[in-house]
Amino acid sequence: MGTVIRALNNIRAGLGLEPMREDPALMASSLEQAWKMARAGNCFHSESPPGCESVAYYPVRFFSAEAVGEGLTYHVSDFRQAEKTRVGVAVVRRDDYLYCVMQGTSG
């Protein structure tokens, strides 16, 4: 997850924003959602995300961890806002797909 969060924070740095910090509760929540998506074989948002949430699924062979981080960051503009300071990320591989979740909150 380090590479995904580094990609997020590189984008934020380019915008003059402070880096987001990894949050254990958001990491656990993101992992739970990534597994739900992987088991369903589909991509969808949490019913009650703890804050902003970006989800995606990608074919394994086409996406690096850095590309996943960039895609999740650009998909939801909240990750490019100064007030968002905590982040959780999870990527689950099932068959030939990566099921990816990034959640963020202020605080």
Side-chain angles (χ1 to χ4, degrees), residues 17-107:
L17 302 174
E18 295 293 320
M20 293 182 80
R21 297 180 320 274
E22 186 177 309
D23 180 274
L26 291 173
M27 295 294 283
S29 177
S30 295
L31 183 59
E32 180 180 345
Q33 180 61 19
W35 273 113
K36 284 180 184 177
M37 293 180 348
R39 283 191 291 272
N42 202 354
C43 183
F44 51 89
H45 287 279
S46 302
E47 289 181 28
S48 299
C52 61
E53 179 178 71
S54 184
V55 298
Y57 68 117
Y58 303 109
V60 171
R61 67 179 186 205
F62 295 121
F63 287 89
S64 66
E66 185 174 7
V68 167
E70 291 171 354
L72 291 172
T73 301
Y74 282 117
H75 181 66
V76 174
S77 64
D78 285 14
F79 289 102
R80 300 184 312 276
Q81 296 177 354
E83 64 270 12
K84 298 302 184 212
T85 58
R86 297 182 303 143
V87 68
V89 175
V91 178
V92 171
R93 180 179 178 163
R94 183 157 187 197
D95 300 322
D96 291 329
Y97 285 89
L98 301 173
Y99 295 86
C100 313
V101 178
M102 182 185 289
Q103 296 176 340
T105 61
S106 303

